[in-house]
Structures are given as C-alpha cells and as structure tokens.
Amino acid sequence: MAPHAQHNANHFATSSEHPADYSTADHQPTHHVDSSLDSYASHRHEPLHVHVERVVRQYFAMLGDEMPTDLYELILKQVEEPLLSVVLEKTRGNQTKCAQILGLNRGTLRKKLKTYDLM
C-alpha cells in the first residue's frame, strides 16, 4: 500500500469519530455534542449498507489519487470487531449464545474473539 494510503487506512481504522457522520472528504471533527447527536439521528434509520457505502466513498475521496490495497480486509475488520463485541455484550459473555446469534460455530467464534483480543 502506498505510504499515504497506509496512513489514511490507519486513520480510518483507528478513528474515534463516527464514520457515518462525515459529510465531506475534508470533514472537520464535530466537537459539539448536540450537532453530533442530530447527525446520528438523521442517519440512524438508514440500512447498514448505506452507511458502509458512504464511508467507503469518503475513504476513496480522502485518498485522492492513491490506490489502497487490502481494502476488503480493512472493512471486514472494522465491521467484525464491534459486531463481535456488541453481541458478546448482549449475551453477557455467553459464547454459545453469541455463536448462535452470529451463525458461527463456537470454535470459529473463539478464534475471532482471540484475534481481536476480546477474550
């Protein structure tokens, strides 16, 4: 991956900002809680694929002419870790229930939890 693309991928992967709140490629972080909540409220009823598409388009806009590599893996990691974390939280740490909800076998779930240091 080109150095600039790698930097942007790292920022994209570790940003604490809510990606769905980006409205332009030159987004300035929102520090005002009320406007951040308003933005969240305006997007919360959209299907997940709309949010994903928006973020991927913004990521490419952020890169400019740079071409990323391993984008598929980057996106999957960004979705998979919070998915596992939230479902595990909702099942109060019950891995069997978590695996059932996710449609995974328990061994696969455990492997993924270890990958993200969630166990």
Side-chain angles (χ1 to χ4, degrees):
M1 184 179 296
H4 185 261
Q6 182 63 51
H7 169 75
N8 285 327
N10 291 340
H11 173 75
F12 179 77
T14 60
S15 175
S16 62
E17 298 167 353
H18 190 286
D21 290 344
Y22 288 172
S23 57
T24 63
D26 60 345
H27 169 75
Q28 297 298 318
T30 303
H31 296 289
H32 191 276
V33 173
D34 292 337
S35 64
S36 179
L37 292 175
D38 289 344
S39 178
Y40 171 74
S42 70
H43 295 297
R44 71 175 174 217
H45 297 293
E46 294 177 341
L48 179 60
H49 72 90
V50 172
H51 294 280
V52 172
E53 181 179 345
R54 181 182 304 119
V55 170
V56 171
R57 288 183 186 282
Q58 291 163 353
Y59 178 67
F60 274 107
M62 206 169 64
L63 289 177
D65 293 334
E66 300 270 350
M67 275 296 138
T69 58
D70 302 325
L71 182 60
Y72 185 78
E73 183 179 342
L74 174 69
I75 297 294
L76 287 185
K77 285 181 179 180
Q78 290 297 300
V79 171
E80 190 173 51
E81 185 175 2
L83 174 64
L84 295 171
S85 179
V86 169
V87 175
L88 195 60
E89 178 185 312
K90 289 302 242 180
T91 61
R92 297 185 184 132
N94 185 319
Q95 293 178 10
T96 302
K97 286 182 182 179
C98 184
Q100 289 172 340
I101 290 170
L102 294 169
L104 300 173
N105 76 43
R106 193 166 166 273
T108 301
L109 173 63
R110 289 181 59 78
K111 181 179 175 184
K112 290 179 179 294
L113 293 176
K114 287 178 185 176
T115 298
Y116 298 111
D117 200 25
L118 294 172
M119 333 183 22

